[in-house]
């Protein structure tokens, strides 16, 4: 039962983390100099309007009561209302979260499909031309500023070649003449389920540039990480034994060695994933991608504290769960990790 | 062991999926499904976009817009949403672009009149107008629209503060009684919170309904769909009272792109028909492009630097005048703003009624500044001033940096402090003796009257709201109030009062008037009929446009 015990322990810890994060963000958001009541009313509030809004928003009660009210309604699924847009935050998240998830998932797939094989090969053929060129790719990926890479790719593929769209999730043609019926919020799946091939193709085309740009950093990191652990693992005796036993090189590299070399890569991928949920701001802005990053940036700029607190909490939930998932995944892949 | 691991992983997986699906949208109503299946091509894969679609794209007007639409509820919206709402809703009166013969023209009201002190207004409404939900437009709807905005009380709802009672005389005549004089004809033309809405729909739908992509005004277009944060589609309202002529646009698409370079690429490539907010340095390039037309016109927005008239040394009029002579206006506009600004003359921006071409304009004159400082007893300067501005505004920041360099030559140390707006405003509203010395901000009229500038920023006020230079002068206050009362009945007489009031402000040097902001709108050359109207900011009334 050690696995289940561990799982329960970790879940309890996660709840504690969530409560602490909610308290900290709630109180920080409320001590910075800003007046949510004034923000609610608009750019030119009168004193009467502000007073009225203060009562309406419950800002006249003590802070801890406000927190209690917030926490209880959060548990009931009411994430509060944005003071800037007067919209229920849940309605916004329903649109922005899947949009970001779609982008982040696509970029993670690229990072895995491109990063791991390149890492394995350059680890195996250390010092070869392949290794050097891969190093160049990975260093470029990690160090190139995303906004620059994004703009360059746009300039090339949109302005010069005209083969890829400049941004957005779908084109006007599709939005007007063959709209996607939203079910999951992942346009990729939604168009596939509906058999709306025009929209499916359009969604894919729109995903290519932003997901490559977002994947650049993660791919670089995955290559470097896989390479260095591969170099280490390939020096182990069991690899030598396997080679002596005549096991094919492909199997040695991609099964025997990779299995043990994968642990740190998985950690990196997990962190990249969660980081990208809100860290994809620049990519989202450049590619007009209506995601969580853009949403939370606008909220921070206008000190829309209910949005800031809620998005922080939602991202924390993902962070905690994905971390836990990655921990367990590692232990499953690598028996050396004992819990 | 292995099985337990697998179970744990499955449990976690389920939790993950659960949290994700919690946040995914519910299926849309059947209508949307129909639209999807009805319009999508047969599920054969490699079909190019339908040619009929290509042709009809010509009848679509695409507006690449820099910001999302925070709130599309017509009673609450007080932001850039007006680019959308202005195509769906209409006002009683319409503010004409500068250079027109009359200030106002009829819209949903065909004519109107006021009593001699502008406290009783009668509007005669247009007949045969229907709302997009099929309801008739009549006096009851007008009464409802105004009273509801007052009741909700957010945004610019205070423009209706003077309204005491609304009497429905008959179906198409309405009488509005005010508790004090106000130019209700001008107020009724406002691009925010003066919209006429269908009482039936507004009563039955929640604010969320509007933000899911719906509207019910009397205007030429109605919202067809809205992908939050990325795209809003409007389509013709066939029963529009103005009727339809060949060549007018079928649909409007608002595409949101926050990045200014992307906006530029969209307009250059023809993906978009209209935009603003491209990088200022690239405007000259766009002007040379024969596929584009750049419209540069004064907006009704200006940049002011309110001087703290309560706190030494700026409580001394001579020091304030010296500061007014110390800013290099021309150099700044030429070097930094280019065609985006014009040096201000007085408080009321050029192009708006009440602007005075004869008013005093301070120019850069360090000698004169030095002389005034000497007169005031500060021949070597020797004091420190705090200037606050809104964080992230590069233009305001550069105003500060350039001014700092000039003031240093006069022995004055200027601290340029960027703050977020709320913090800047809070400091401004605190005790003037502890507040900033110079408050830099933009101002624009809530309804198009000099009163919107002269009252909010300079009339005696307690507690402080926007008179952030804490100016107080009874003679000035009276002129502004008199001007406001006259506005409703005799606009020429009102103009005289407002100009006189401005000359007092300029003599007292209560603020620096840096520049009037110019709007730079960019349209594709094949779009015809666009007229820049600063009263409505970045709004494009698409009904007026056609494609060549």
């Amino acid at each position: 039962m050690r696995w289940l015990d561990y799982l329960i322990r970790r879940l309890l810890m996660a709840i504690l983390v969530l409560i602490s994060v909610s308290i900290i963000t709630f109180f920080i958001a409320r001590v910075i100099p800003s007046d949510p009541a004034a923000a609610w009313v608009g750019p030119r509030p009168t004193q009467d309007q502000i007073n009225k809004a203060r009562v309406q928003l419950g800002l006249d009660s003590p802070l801890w009561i406000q927190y209690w009210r917030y926490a209880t309604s959060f548990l009931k699924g009411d994430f509060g209302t944005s003071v800037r847009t007067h919209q229920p935050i849940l309605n916004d998240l329903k649109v922005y979260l899947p949009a970001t998830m779609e982008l982040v998932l696509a970029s993670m797939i690229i990072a895995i499909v491109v990063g791991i094989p390149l890492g394995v090969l350059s680890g195996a053929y250390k010092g070869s031309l392949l290794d050097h060129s891969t190093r160049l790719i990975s260093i470029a990926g990690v160090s190139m500023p995303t906004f620059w890479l994004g703009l360059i790719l746009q300039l090339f593929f949109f302005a010069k070649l005209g083969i890829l769209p400049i941004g957005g999730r779908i084109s006007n043609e599709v939005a007007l003449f063959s709209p996607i019926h939203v079910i999951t919020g992942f346009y990729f799946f939604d168009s596939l389920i509906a058999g709306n091939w025009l929209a499916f193709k359009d969604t894919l085309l729109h995903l290519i540039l932003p997901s490559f740009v977002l994947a650049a950093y993660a791919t670089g990191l995955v290559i470097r990480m896989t390479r260095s652990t591969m170099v280490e693992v390939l020096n182990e005796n069991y690899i030598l034994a396997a080679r002596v036993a005549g096991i094919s090189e492909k199997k040695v590299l991609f099964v025997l060695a990779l299995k043990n070399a994968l642990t740190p890569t998985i950690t990196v991928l997990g962190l990249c994933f969660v980081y990208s949920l809100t860290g994809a701001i620049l990519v989202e802005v450049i590619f007009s991608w209506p995601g969580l990053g853009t949403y939370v940036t606008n909220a921070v700029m206008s000190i829309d504290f209910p949005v800031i607190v809620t998005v922080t909490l939602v991202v924390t939930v993902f962070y905690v769960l994905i971390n836990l998932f990655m921990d367990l995944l590692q232990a499953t892949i690598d028996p050396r990790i004992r819990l | 062991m292995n099985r337990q691991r697998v179970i744990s992983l499955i449990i976690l997986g389920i939790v993950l999926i659960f949290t994700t699906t919690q946040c995914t949208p519910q299926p849309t109503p059947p209508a949307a499904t129909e639209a999807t299946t009805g319009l999508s091509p047969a599920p054969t894969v490699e079909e190019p976009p339908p040619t009929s679609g290509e042709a009809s794209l010509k009848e679509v007007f695409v507006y690449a817009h820099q910001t999302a639409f925070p709130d599309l509820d017509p009673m609450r919206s007080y932001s850039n949403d007006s680019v959308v709402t202005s195509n769906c809703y209409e006002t009683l009166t319409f503010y004409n672009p500068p250079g027109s013969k009359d200030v106002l023209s009829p819209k949903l009201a065909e004519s109107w009149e006021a009593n001699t002190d502008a406290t009783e207004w009668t509007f005669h409404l247009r007949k045969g107008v229907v709302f997009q939900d099929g309801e008739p437009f009549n006096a009851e709807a007008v009464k409802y629209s105004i009273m509801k905005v007052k009741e909700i009380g957010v945004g610019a709802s205070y423009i209706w503060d003077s309204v005491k009672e609304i009497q429905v005389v008959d179906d198409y005549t309405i009488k509005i009684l005010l508790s004090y004089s106000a130019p209700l004809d001008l107020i009724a033309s406002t691009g925010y919170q003066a919209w006429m809405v269908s009482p039936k729909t507004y009563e039955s739908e929640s604010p969320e309904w509007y933000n899911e992509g719906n509207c019910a005004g009397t205007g030429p277009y109605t919202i067809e769909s809205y992908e939050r944060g990325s795209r809003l589609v409007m389509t013709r309202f066939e029963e529009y009272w103005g009727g339809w002529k060949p060549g007018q646009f079928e649909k409007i698409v608002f595409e949101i792109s926050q990045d200014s370079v992307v906006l530029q690429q969209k307009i250059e490539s023809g993906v978009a028909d209209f935009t603003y907010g491209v990088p200022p340095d690239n405007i000259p390039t766009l002007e040379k492009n024969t596929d584009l037309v750049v419209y540069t016109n004064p907006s009704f927005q200006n940049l002011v630097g309110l001087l703290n008239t309560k706190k030494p040394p700026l409580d001394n009029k001579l020091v304030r005048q010296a500061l007014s002579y110390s800013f290099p206006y021309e150099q700044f506009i030429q070097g930094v703003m280019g065609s985006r600004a014009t040096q201000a003359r007085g408080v009321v921006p050029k192009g708006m009624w009440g602007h005075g071409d004869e008013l005093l304009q301070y120019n850069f004159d360090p000698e004169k500044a030095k002389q005034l400082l000497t007169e005031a007893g500060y021949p070597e300067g020797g004091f420190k001033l705090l200037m606050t501005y809104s964080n992230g505004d590069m233009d305001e920041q550069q105003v500060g940096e350039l001014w700092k360099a000039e003031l240093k030559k006069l022995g004055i140390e200027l601290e340029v402090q960027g703050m977020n707006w709320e913090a800047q405003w809070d400091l401004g509203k605190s005790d003037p003796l502890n507040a900033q010395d110079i408050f830099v901000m933009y101002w624009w009229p809530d309804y198009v009257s000099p009163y919107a500038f002269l009252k909010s920023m300079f009339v005696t006020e307690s507690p402080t709201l926007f008179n952030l230079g804490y100016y107080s002068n009874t003679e000035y206050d009276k002129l502004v109030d008199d001007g406001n009362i006259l506005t409703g009945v005799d606009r020429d007489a009102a103009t005289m009062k407002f100009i006189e009031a401005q000359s007092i402000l300029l003599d007292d040097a209560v603020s620096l008037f840096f520049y009037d902001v110019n709007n730079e709108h960019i349209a594709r050359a094949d779009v015809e009929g666009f007229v820049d109207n600063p009263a409505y900011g970045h709004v494009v009334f698409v009904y007026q446009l056609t494609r060549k």
Side-chain angles (χ1 to χ4, degrees):
Chain A
M1 290 309 281
R2 271 166 61 197
W3 273 84
L4 277 177
D5 283 350
Y6 177 74
L7 185 63
I8 290 166
R9 213 165 59 232
R10 287 293 303 260
L11 282 175
L12 285 177
M13 281 293 286
I15 291 169
L16 202 67
V17 168
L18 285 177
I19 293 174
S20 328
V21 167
S22 74
I23 291 176
I24 293 168
T25 42
F26 189 87
F27 284 90
I28 286 180
R30 302 309 309 281
V31 292
I32 48 174
S34 79
D35 186 353
W40 175 267
V41 179
R44 296 269 189 84
T46 64
Q47 199 58 46
D48 278 354
Q49 287 179 315
I50 294 177
N51 297 343
K52 200 173 141 196
R54 187 159 288 135
V55 176
Q56 198 187 339
L57 297 174
L59 296 166
D60 48 344
S61 14
L63 215 51
W64 66 272
I65 292 187
Q66 289 180 42
Y67 174 75
W68 180 250
R69 235 183 259 148
Y70 177 79
T72 45
S73 44
F74 188 90
L75 289 178
K76 285 181 211 146
D78 170 10
F79 290 2
T81 306
S82 154
V83 293
R84 192 174 63 96
T85 67
H86 312 141
Q87 300 305 302
I89 296 168
L90 189 63
N91 289 358
D92 288 337
L93 284 183
K94 279 175 184 173
V95 178
Y96 297 130
L97 190 59
T100 295
M101 290 284 270
E102 184 172 66
L103 184 59
V104 174
L105 278 175
S107 72
M108 286 301 126
I109 291 171
I110 293 173
I112 292 171
V113 171
V114 177
I116 292 180
L118 279 182
V120 169
L121 292 175
S122 60
Y125 306 105
K126 203 166 54 148
S128 68
L129 184 65
L130 178 86
D131 186 26
H132 290 307
S133 38
T134 310
R135 179 177 304 155
L136 201 69
I137 294 172
S138 61
I139 290 174
V142 172
S143 50
M144 245 186 310
T146 46
F147 66 88
W148 183 82
L149 183 61
L151 287 174
I152 291 297
L153 289 179
Q154 277 179 343
L155 208 61
F156 191 67
F157 288 100
F158 171 77
K160 286 268 172 276
L161 298 181
I163 49 173
L164 287 176
I166 188 164
R169 295 181 74 186
I170 48 171
S171 60
N172 282 335
E173 286 88 333
V174 166
L176 290 170
F177 307 116
S178 168
I180 291 174
H181 171 212
V182 177
I183 302 165
T184 62
F186 292 77
Y187 284 5
F188 181 79
F189 292 123
D190 288 344
S191 51
L192 193 66
I193 295 168
N196 185 349
W197 300 112
L198 211 62
F200 180 70
K201 192 177 139 204
D202 195 48
T203 309
L204 274 186
L205 285 177
H206 279 81
L207 259 174
I208 292 174
L209 285 186
S211 57
F212 260 95
V213 172
L214 189 58
Y217 179 77
T219 312
L221 219 55
V222 165
I223 292 177
R224 300 306 295 162
M225 199 61 96
T226 314
R227 182 190 175 276
S228 62
T229 39
M230 277 299 283
V231 169
E232 221 173 277
V233 169
L234 286 173
N235 284 329
E236 302 273 333
N237 285 336
Y238 80 97
I239 296 292
L240 190 65
R243 281 183 174 149
V244 170
I247 295 173
S248 75
E249 187 65 13
K250 213 157 99 188
K251 197 172 172 194
V252 169
L253 288 183
F254 285 95
V255 179
L256 297 175
L258 183 60
K259 198 175 167 191
N260 286 329
L262 217 48
T263 320
T265 307
I266 287 174
T267 316
V268 164
L269 276 172
L271 291 177
C272 276
F273 184 92
V274 186
Y275 170 76
S276 301
L277 282 184
T278 51
I281 296 167
L282 284 175
V283 179
E284 287 183 0
V285 167
I286 289 168
F287 289 98
S288 319
W289 198 269
L292 213 53
T294 320
Y295 181 53
V296 81
T297 319
N298 288 337
V300 170
M301 300 286 271
S302 53
I303 319 189
D304 193 345
F305 85 97
V307 174
I308 299 172
V309 176
T310 303
V311 173
T312 311
L313 268 185
V314 169
V315 173
T316 313
V317 169
F318 273 94
Y319 200 93
V320 166
L321 286 176
I322 287 175
N323 243 342
L324 180 53
F325 184 76
M326 289 298 171
D327 281 356
L328 295 175
L329 192 69
Q330 275 179 7
T332 312
I333 292 175
D334 188 347
R336 287 175 305 179
I337 295 178
R338 288 275 166 249
L339 294 165
Chain B
M1 272 312 247
N2 257 338
R3 187 184 288 171
Q4 281 175 1
R5 286 180 206 177
V6 172
I7 291 173
S8 329
L9 281 175
I10 289 173
I11 292 175
L12 251 174
I14 290 171
V15 175
L16 263 179
I17 289 166
F18 181 70
T19 41
T20 323
T21 47
Q22 279 290 299
C23 299
T24 52
Q26 300 300 310
T28 40
T33 325
E34 245 169 57
T36 317
T37 47
L39 278 170
S40 58
T44 36
V45 191
E46 279 112 17
E47 220 170 294
T51 40
S52 63
E54 296 244 344
S56 54
L57 266 186
K58 283 201 159 161
E59 291 153 19
V60 178
F61 180 79
V62 181
Y63 189 150
H65 198 258
Q66 194 164 23
T67 57
F69 307 119
D71 194 349
L72 294 168
D73 178 339
M75 298 277 184
R76 293 167 201 267
S77 144
Y78 188 27
S79 183
N80 281 334
D81 320 294
S82 60
V83 300
V84 175
T85 46
S86 300
N87 283 294
C88 175
Y89 303 94
E90 290 176 311
T91 46
L92 291 176
T93 59
F94 183 78
Y95 193 92
N96 292 326
S100 309
K101 195 168 128 274
D102 299 313
V103 173
L104 295 170
S105 56
K107 199 80 189 182
L108 289 176
E110 281 182 317
S111 61
W112 54 90
E113 65 262 349
N115 67 349
T116 46
D117 62 350
T119 51
E120 260 186 53
W121 289 80
T122 309
F123 289 88
H124 304 281
L125 307 179
R126 190 176 294 279
K127 296 182 176 111
V129 176
V130 284
F131 284 106
Q132 291 163 3
D133 63 359
E135 292 289 299
F137 167 75
N138 54 27
E140 282 298 339
V142 177
K143 180 178 179 181
Y144 176 85
S145 299
I146 297 173
M147 294 317 269
K148 195 71 188 177
V149 162
K150 278 171 74 77
E151 181 196 321
I152 293 170
V154 300
S157 58
Y158 55 80
I159 58 174
W160 300 105
D161 272 358
S162 60
V163 174
K164 188 172 66 184
E165 196 193 330
I166 301 183
Q167 296 169 352
V168 174
V169 180
D170 60 51
D171 260 9
Y172 296 101
T173 313
I174 192 153
K175 197 169 180 182
I176 303 180
L177 308 180
L178 309 186
S179 46
Y180 52 88
S181 293
L184 214 62
D185 54 345
L186 276 175
I187 293 172
S189 74
T190 309
Y192 316 98
Q193 279 144 339
W195 306 118
M196 295 299 125
V197 306
S198 158
K200 185 181 159 214
T201 301
Y202 203 82
E203 276 305 300
S204 58
E205 302 293 350
S206 67
E208 277 101 82
W209 184 77
Y210 297 93
N211 289 290
E212 282 157 10
N214 297 290
C215 71
T218 56
Y221 293 91
T222 187
I223 300 178
E224 178 182 297
S225 69
Y226 179 31
E227 294 160 53
R228 202 174 290 232
S230 54
R231 179 186 286 103
L232 187 140
V233 181
M234 297 186 91
T235 188
R236 269 187 191 187
F237 171 48
E238 293 297 343
E239 287 104 285
Y240 180 55
W241 58 267
W244 290 98
K245 288 187 287 289
Q248 285 172 299
F249 284 98
E250 285 283 341
K251 286 175 194 280
I252 314 169
V253 174
F254 294 93
E255 266 193 318
I256 299 158
S257 301
Q258 295 205 330
D259 190 79
S260 53
V261 178
V262 172
L263 290 174
Q264 185 186 338
Q265 295 208 30
K266 281 189 171 176
I267 193 80
E268 282 181 324
S269 66
V271 171
D273 293 309
F274 190 91
T275 195
Y276 68 97
V278 306
D281 293 346
N282 298 351
I283 291 280
T285 319
L286 297 181
E287 277 169 343
K288 285 187 204 116
N289 187 335
T290 49
D291 291 336
L292 303 175
V293 184
V294 179
Y295 297 86
T296 304
N297 286 302
S299 74
F300 287 164
Q301 195 180 45
N302 57 12
L303 187 74
V304 297
L306 302 172
L307 303 177
N308 188 335
T309 56
K310 288 279 177 286
K311 182 176 161 188
L314 295 188
D315 57 344
N316 185 336
K317 176 172 152 180
L318 294 171
V319 180
R320 295 198 301 266
Q321 287 177 340
L323 284 190
S324 299
Y325 281 116
S326 71
F327 184 77
Y329 303 91
E330 270 179 45
Q331 193 193 340
F332 180 79
I333 289 171
Q334 276 175 10
V336 178
M337 301 298 290
S339 55
R340 290 185 296 137
T342 313
Q343 186 181 346
R345 186 184 285 276
V347 195
V348 178
K350 198 173 172 64
M352 193 167 142
W353 73 277
H355 174 81
D357 274 328
E358 313 294 310
L359 285 167
L360 168 70
Q361 187 178 44
Y362 285 97
N363 282 303
F364 182 45
D365 190 344
E367 292 299 315
K368 184 114 185 179
K370 181 91 180 166
Q371 187 196 327
L372 284 161
L373 281 174
T374 313
E375 245 176 87
Y378 301 96
E380 301 302 321
F383 53 86
K384 205 178 151 181
L385 297 172
L386 171 68
M387 176 194 125
T388 60
Y389 72 96
S390 195
N391 243 347
D393 190 297
M394 293 300 288
D395 296 335
E396 288 182 4
Q397 188 184 342
Q398 296 196 55
V399 162
E401 297 301 337
L402 204 66
W403 200 9
K404 183 179 180 168
E406 289 304 332
L407 287 176
K408 202 173 169 192
K409 295 177 192 160
L410 296 169
I412 301 168
E413 192 187 330
L414 182 71
E415 189 191 340
V416 180
Q417 175 77 59
M419 303 170 91
N420 76 57
W421 163 251
E422 302 253 340
Q424 187 196 4
W425 193 31
D426 271 349
L427 180 66
K429 285 190 288 184
S430 66
D431 178 10
L433 291 176
N434 296 323
Q436 76 293 326
D437 300 292
I438 302 155
F439 193 105
V440 173
M441 68 172 175
Y442 293 98
W443 198 257
W444 72 99
D446 24 40
Y447 65 90
V448 187
S449 164
Y451 187 68
F453 286 84
L454 301 176
K455 159 91 174 155
S456 308
M457 289 191 288
F458 303 107
V459 164
T460 313
E461 184 178 66
S462 176
T464 303
L465 202 63
F466 286 109
N467 182 352
L468 296 157
Y470 324 105
Y471 183 64
S472 177
N473 177 342
T474 42
E475 188 198 348
Y476 168 82
D477 293 357
K478 183 163 185 325
L479 278 170
V480 173
D481 279 339
D482 288 352
N484 189 42
I485 292 171
L486 284 169
T487 301
V489 280
D490 183 349
R491 215 145 280 162
D492 290 337
T495 305
M496 302 276 282
K497 295 275 182 194
F498 287 140
I499 287 181
E500 203 182 332
Q502 287 179 74
S503 60
I504 293 180
L505 292 182
L506 291 166
D507 181 55
D508 268 346
V510 294
S511 169
L512 263 79
F513 301 103
F514 297 109
Y515 54 80
D516 296 345
V517 178
N518 287 335
N519 276 335
E520 290 187 310
H521 293 129
I522 304 140
R524 296 290 298 179
D526 61 352
V527 172
E528 288 185 318
F530 174 70
V531 180
D532 219 333
N533 189 341
Y536 300 99
H538 302 302
V539 169
V540 180
F541 295 97
V542 180
Y543 181 74
Q544 300 168 352
L545 307 183
T546 50
R547 199 189 290 281
K548 251 188 241 174

